[in-house]
């Protein structure tokens, strides 16, 4: 699992370095994920190490919610004041995401059937 962690952290670091060097308004981990996707696409497959270790790694992903829970407790006063705005934004963005995803899927299925 150490190989997988080093691979993921390496792509995250590369994304962070690139976003800071180029001044892009994009989080480094997001760019790192895009770079990982591009590397896998160019390779035309997933390396055996990723295929083997990813299921074990995903089993521990719930640990990533611990910092988020701590942040909720730390920012509780701010959330009491502006929580309804945050909830409204999250609801609206979720609905928009679902609608756009559905429209893209419908378009792609229509193209595939033609």
């Amino acid at each position: 699992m150490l190989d997988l962690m080093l691979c993921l952290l390496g792509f995250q670091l590369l994304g962070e370095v690139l976003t800071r060097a180029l001044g892009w308004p994009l989080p480094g981990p997001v760019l790192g994920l895009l770079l990982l996707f591009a590397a896998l696409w160019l390779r035309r497959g997933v390396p055996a190490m990723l295929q083997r270790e990813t299921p074990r790694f995903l089993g521990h992903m719930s640990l990533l919610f611990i910092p988020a829970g701590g942040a909720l407790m730390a920012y509780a006063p701010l959330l009491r004041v502006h929580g309804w705005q945050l909830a409204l934004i999250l609801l609206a963005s979720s609905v928009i995401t679902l609608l756009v995803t559905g429209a893209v899927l419908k378009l792609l299925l229509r193209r595939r059937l033609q």
Side-chain angles (χ1 to χ4, degrees), residues 16 20 105:
E16 196 70 45
R20 289 180 190 242
L105 178 63

Side-chain angles (χ1 to χ4, degrees), residues 98-110:
L98 285 172
L99 291 174
V100 169
T101 303
V104 169
L105 178 63
K106 189 174 181 179
L107 177 71
L108 291 174
L109 286 174
R110 189 178 309 142

Side-chain angles (χ1 to χ4, degrees), residues 14-90:
L14 182 61
E16 196 70 45
V17 168
L18 283 174
T19 56
R20 289 180 190 242
L22 299 173
W24 289 350
L26 183 70
V30 173
L31 183 58
L33 183 64
L34 292 173
L35 292 170
L36 174 63
F37 176 75
L40 293 174
W41 183 74
L42 288 172
R43 189 182 161 99
R44 303 265 190 239
V46 180
M49 179 270 302
L50 283 178
Q51 288 180 353
R52 182 182 65 249
E53 298 297 333
T54 301
R56 287 185 6 191
F57 181 73
L58 289 176
H60 300 289
M61 290 293 283
S62 61
L63 293 173
L64 296 176
F65 288 106
I66 294 172
L72 285 175
M73 292 189 301
Y75 290 104
L78 185 63
L79 287 174
R80 273 190 223 106
V81 175
H82 299 289
W84 68 272
Q85 295 165 332
L86 181 61
L88 183 64
I89 290 169
L90 287 172

